[in-house]
Amino acid sequence: MLILEFEKVFSSMPRMKILKLLYSLGQLNISDIARRTKMNFTTTDEHLRLLESEGIVKQYLYGRIRLYSFNEASEKARVIQKLIQIWEQNK
């Protein structure tokens, strides 16, 4: 498992868009995430795989459909959710 530096995870605007989207909408499939973030499928998949490798998001498989959500068991995921919550409250 590749462990990334803090800066690498947070330095990407597309990854931050994905995290905000999952925070606000909960569980989404990869196609919905790609469409809502205006990214292509491959790029979205790369970002989700990175976030999953860090334990921030988790993937559920329902047949051929891959659903993603925050990994509630991960302290990193809980901290990121709290950060987004605080940020959104103080706009």
Side-chain angles (χ1 to χ4, degrees):
M1 176 181 188
L2 175 67
I3 304 295
L4 294 179
E5 296 294 323
F6 176 82
E7 296 85 3
K8 290 207 184 229
V9 173
F10 289 99
S11 66
S12 167
M13 188 179 297
R15 278 194 288 277
M16 296 309 296
K17 285 181 179 181
I18 290 170
L19 292 171
K20 279 182 65 179
L21 187 63
L22 290 175
Y23 172 79
S24 63
L25 298 177
Q27 196 175 57
L28 291 170
N29 72 40
I30 191 168
S31 296
D32 285 337
I33 295 169
R35 183 175 42 81
R36 289 173 186 263
T37 57
K38 297 177 176 50
M39 291 188 287
N40 66 47
F41 184 92
T42 304
T43 302
T44 303
D45 186 49
E46 289 172 8
H47 287 297
L48 286 166
R49 287 181 191 273
L50 184 143
L51 292 169
E52 187 177 17
S53 75
E54 285 297 312
I56 297 167
V57 301
K58 62 182 175 179
Q59 176 187 151
Y60 300 94
L61 288 174
Y62 293 102
R64 293 180 46 190
I65 298 171
R66 290 189 289 165
L67 296 174
Y68 287 89
S69 66
F70 270 98
N71 180 1
E72 299 298 329
S74 165
E75 187 174 4
K76 288 179 185 179
R78 290 191 304 272
V79 169
I80 292 169
Q81 287 177 302
K82 186 67 174 172
L83 174 64
I84 294 170
Q85 177 188 18
I86 292 167
W87 195 274
E88 293 298 310
Q89 288 174 349
N90 292 302
K91 278 187 174 181

